Amino acid sequence: MEDGLQRFSLSGRCALITGGSRGIGRAVALAMAAAGAKVAVCARHLDACEAVAAEITARGGQAIAIAGNVGRAEDAVAIIDGAVDGLGALDILVNNAATNPHFGPLVDAEDAAVDRIFQVNVQGPLRLVGAAVRAWMGEHGGSIINMASVGGISPEPMIGAYNASKAALINLTRTLAHELGASGIRVNAIAPGLVETDFARVLIETPAIHDQIVGQTALHRHGQPDEVAGAAVFLACDAASYITGSVLVVDGGWTA
Ligand SMILES: NC(=O)c1ccc[n+]([C@@H]2O[C@H](COP(=O)([O-])OP(=O)(O)OC[C@H]3O[C@@H](n4cnc5c(N)ncnc54)[C@H](OP(=O)(O)O)[C@@H]3O)[C@@H](O)[C@H]2O)c1
């Protein structure tokens, strides 16, 4: 009889994680490597990616580092080709990198900030999916995981353009699931709540904001990056073989 836990393994799989050098992406890279995957860690700063790759290697895993800016059209193919060439395949793509240069009322958001948010958080993931399908997944299948946010489902004030980008990411996750399902490619999103990273530092370190969020959260605390990573490993593995087009909320019950 097949060992039931085999379906939770990523052994022999090759995964690319954008924004893998710190925060949630780093935790996903470490968790996928621990589950047996060969991992490509991508972010703009190569040294930070190399540090995570070295951490994985020191733990007995296999990892490479790739420098790239997901907000630049010219980087998309290079990032995907770097992963396919360096790993030998690309079974898992985690679109995790994101940005939010605007904090304040939505009507005050500058065009340049909104453009940047949509370039990095929406167009970037979409370009990487296209490049991944053309380079590998279209022929071999795969699992794509888009890191959205509960803000894309139930938006809070002050980060409206970012929330709109995450709503767009969730929407295109569903369309891609329909369009790519016949090629054996599953496409899902994860919607984290408040997680302790550099990205969320202002929210966590501003007591008025933090207390309000934690007060509405069933578990009465914010999350840690490795509490999101397990959801990514699950969606990537064969145990999730009939899950596509879904949004897995990982928010401690904030939106429950
Ligand atoms: N933390 C939260 O509370 C929270 C909640 C909901 C959703 N999320 C989502 O979770 C994901 C990860 O967030 P995080 O909190 O872990 O952020 P983080 O700690 O700030 O890490 C961001 C990562 O993305 C990379 N990055 C940023 N811009 C990039 C670009 N243009 N191209 C390539 N890489 C880029 C960064 O490295 P470089 O600077 O070297 O590029 C870094 O590795 C994001 O999609 C975010 O929207 C976070």
Side-chain angles (χ1 to χ4, degrees):
M1 195 173 76
E2 189 192 1
D3 176 1
L5 283 178
Q6 259 318 105
R7 286 172 58 73
F8 290 88
S9 169
L10 296 181
S11 182
R13 306 288 162 85
C14 298
L16 166 65
I17 297 108
T18 70
S21 64
R22 32 172 223 272
I24 293 170
R26 172 180 169 276
V28 171
L30 293 173
M32 287 193 169
K38 280 200 270 181
V39 165
V41 179
C42 170
R44 289 168 301 180
H45 298 91
L46 184 62
D47 51 347
C49 296
E50 286 171 342
V52 175
E55 211 177 331
I56 289 170
T57 310
R59 294 180 189 191
Q62 284 178 274
I64 60 169
I66 298 174
N69 183 339
V70 303
R72 285 171 30 167
E74 58 271 34
D75 284 14
V77 171
I79 292 169
I80 295 296
D81 286 352
V84 174
D85 293 347
L87 300 175
L90 184 58
D91 309 297
I92 300 160
L93 166 62
V94 185
N95 278 313
N96 168 78
T99 193
N100 181 27
H102 178 75
F103 186 82
L106 193 46
V107 291
D108 295 338
E110 306 266 351
D111 276 3
V114 177
D115 278 351
R116 174 101 192 110
I117 288 168
F118 275 80
Q119 273 297 321
V120 174
N121 301 4
V122 182
Q123 297 240 42
L126 188 51
R127 286 193 199 104
L128 288 181
V129 169
V133 168
R134 285 185 280 277
W136 185 267
M137 291 187 183
E139 220 172 295
H140 305 273
S143 173
I144 295 166
I145 298 162
N146 294 322
M147 200 59 72
S149 167
V150 289
I153 302 167
S154 176
E156 294 280 323
M158 307 304 273
I159 50 172
Y162 167 81
N163 287 336
S165 76
K166 294 300 188 178
L169 187 61
I170 287 170
N171 193 281
L172 67 81
T173 295
R174 294 189 172 122
T175 303
L176 288 168
H178 279 291
E179 292 182 355
L180 299 176
S183 303
I185 302 169
R186 296 184 297 106
V187 191
N188 292 289
I190 296 174
L194 184 61
V195 179
E196 190 171 333
T197 66
D198 292 346
F199 193 74
R201 193 163 306 284
V202 178
L203 305 180
I204 286 176
E205 291 180 354
T206 307
I209 299 175
H210 185 252
D211 293 353
Q212 193 225 339
I213 294 171
V214 168
Q216 293 171 356
T217 300
L219 295 179
H220 291 283
R221 62 176 178 83
H222 61 256
Q224 296 298 326
D226 58 6
E227 295 185 283
V228 180
V233 172
F234 169 64
L235 288 173
C237 77
D238 287 346
S241 58
Y242 200 54
I243 301 178
T244 194
S246 73
V247 184
L248 182 45
V249 174
V250 183
D251 70 347
W254 181 11
T255 56

